[in-house]
Amino acid sequence: MGTVEETLKCPVCREFFTDPVTLQCGHDFCLTCIQAVWETDGSNDGPFFCPECQVFLPSDLSLEINTSLQDKVKDFSTNKPSTGELRTTPSRETKSSSTIHCDQCIETPSVAIRTCLTCDASLCQAHILLHQQRSALREHTVVELTGDPLSLKCREHHDELKLFCMEERVSVCCLCVLVGMHKNHKVSQLQETCTDFKSMLENTMTQLLKRRGEAEHAIKDLESLYTQIVKSAADYRERVSDKYNRIRVVLDGDERLMMQIIDAEEAHTTEWLEAQRGAMEAQIKEIDNLRASSKSLLEETNDLRFLQQITARNLCDPPDLAPIQEIDRDLCDLEKLRTVEGLVDDLSMALSQHFPRMWSYLSSPSLDSNTAHPKLEISQDRKQVHWRRQPASESLSTQPYDSQYCVLAQESFTTGQHYWEVIVQEKPYWLIGVSTGRVDKKDGTSQNSPSLGVTDLSKTSWCIYHGDGRYLACHDTQEKQLTVGKRIRKVGVLANIQKGELSFYNADSMALLHSFCVQWTEPLYPMLNPCIDVNGLNRQPLTLLWIKESWDWQV
């Protein structure tokens, strides 16, 4: 490498450069040679590396012809000296400005290929051989060529980084541990630490791959459920329509109502399935990002750079991955559609016993954001409410159904019968009911009573509370535990103002849960309380069921 001729030859093919390109590390190669090297290693899409110094290069690297070097090759080929003629050695100025020269060569500078951290010097092939032959130099630490040896040494003591501090996750020298800021810290050898971290990353990648498979399996289950819901809804729609065709024309209005109930059931169930699919896809994306980051680290051959990168990316510890939630198929049970068909069968046998339907009074109130607690978030269509974030001082010891976390509807009822449904799906905590105390969020007082507070609000509210499998009928300080066979996915509320009856139903099976006897003298407001969210376990929304148009039974 000491002659002009050899500096103009490609390190790969050992021939004069053809369309030479210069990499960011300063090494030159033929364009076809470097492309062949990368294609052989299966790195067409990166990461790219230099075959000379093994430095990794950016994945968006673009190769451009070094015209200056190409001209030098042409000039040398044209004016090549004859055999026996002395060849001049190139000066430092004629070479690439990024080339690192040997610090030990004085008269004839040679290109450095390695760096000695003990000498703080870059060495050529001859001086590397000298380090290997002399016993006094054999103990020196020789590493890959670098233009900044100090980056591989302790900045405080200028000693080699031979240890790794396990407490602060940084590479340190011996003096840092003996007298420096890492004194009494737990440390280990670089190579030992690299081995441990690589083993940890390999285990992490195995876990990530397994977790990704679980997520893919969950998505397949969601897709299967989605197909089943769409197909079953179509089957129910066809059978119900056929039965209505055999009933008198006056029942057309009831048929339209049933069709809308099925459409609403399909729409809300598929919306929930899509939300579950989105959550699984987000987990897969997170897993893929962690796998890609771990894979690039495992390909790093330099122990020090590996440790610097793994600590910079906070990958020293196995990631805390959320478990893949199993899909609860019961949440997609078609019980409501079977209920619709069953009611049609009953109608054909005893029409007068089933009119008017409870769904005839179905209304879809809108939530009033002015009555919502600051920790609650209302959707744009004002049909959903969920917990915004967990307060720092809150915990499971706080009653999840405290009425201060409620939101009221904009509409109020003073006469007649009114029915509405609220979708709860898999929420572990929720509270649904009615209240005669409409709280104004601006001053925290009631529109009906200036002194109304949280305690007073419970005296003017009647509700059903679900807490992790237990169902309670609540009013004031009174609570009655309810016996519920199957988990409720939707709650129906029927208010008969004239009779003073407030009834709660399993909205899928229309089974009565509990009835209150109340004589109202003030407007009645639907009330929803999604309850506090602890550790992300209760962040799902409460959703008001709505259909395109309700059926006026009087018409």
Side-chain angles (χ1 to χ4, degrees), residues 65-186:
I65 304 301
N66 188 337
T67 55
S68 176
L69 181 57
Q70 192 174 34
D71 293 337
K72 290 180 182 179
V73 173
K74 292 180 179 179
D75 294 340
F76 182 84
S77 300
T78 304
N79 304 315
K80 184 176 181 180
S82 59
T83 305
E85 182 178 354
L86 293 177
R87 297 172 178 173
T88 59
T89 58
S91 64
R92 291 181 182 265
E93 290 73 21
T94 61
K95 292 189 177 182
S96 174
S97 58
S98 60
T99 302
I100 300 176
H101 297 88
C102 178
D103 294 319
Q104 303 294 333
C105 296
I106 300 177
E107 296 182 357
T108 304
S110 301
V111 177
I113 60 173
R114 304 278 281 177
T115 297
C116 178
L117 294 181
T118 308
C119 302
D120 281 340
S122 299
L123 306 177
C124 62
Q125 181 66 43
H127 285 94
I128 287 294
L129 184 61
L130 185 65
H131 267 61
Q132 297 173 350
Q133 292 175 346
R134 293 188 178 181
S135 58
L137 302 178
R138 289 175 185 170
E139 299 300 324
H140 286 198
T141 302
V142 180
V143 298
E144 296 178 6
L145 182 65
T146 176
D148 184 17
L150 294 180
S151 64
L152 304 178
K153 304 181 73 173
C154 177
R155 295 188 180 275
E156 181 179 358
H157 305 110
H158 303 288
D159 197 5
E160 297 177 30
L161 299 172
K162 295 182 178 180
L163 303 173
F164 185 78
C165 177
M166 302 300 294
E167 297 184 16
E168 299 191 18
R169 303 295 175 87
V170 293
S171 301
V172 296
C173 68
C174 296
L175 291 176
C176 289
V177 178
L178 294 175
V179 297
M181 60 187 298
H182 297 274
K183 185 178 181 181
N184 297 327
H185 286 188
K186 182 180 179 181

Side-chain angles (χ1 to χ4, degrees), residues 2-10 15-17 76 80-81 87-88 90:
T3 64
V4 174
E5 180 177 352
E6 291 192 2
T7 60
L8 300 179
K9 289 184 177 180
C10 174
E15 299 294 336
F16 287 104
F17 287 115
F76 182 84
K80 184 176 181 180
R87 297 172 178 173
T88 59

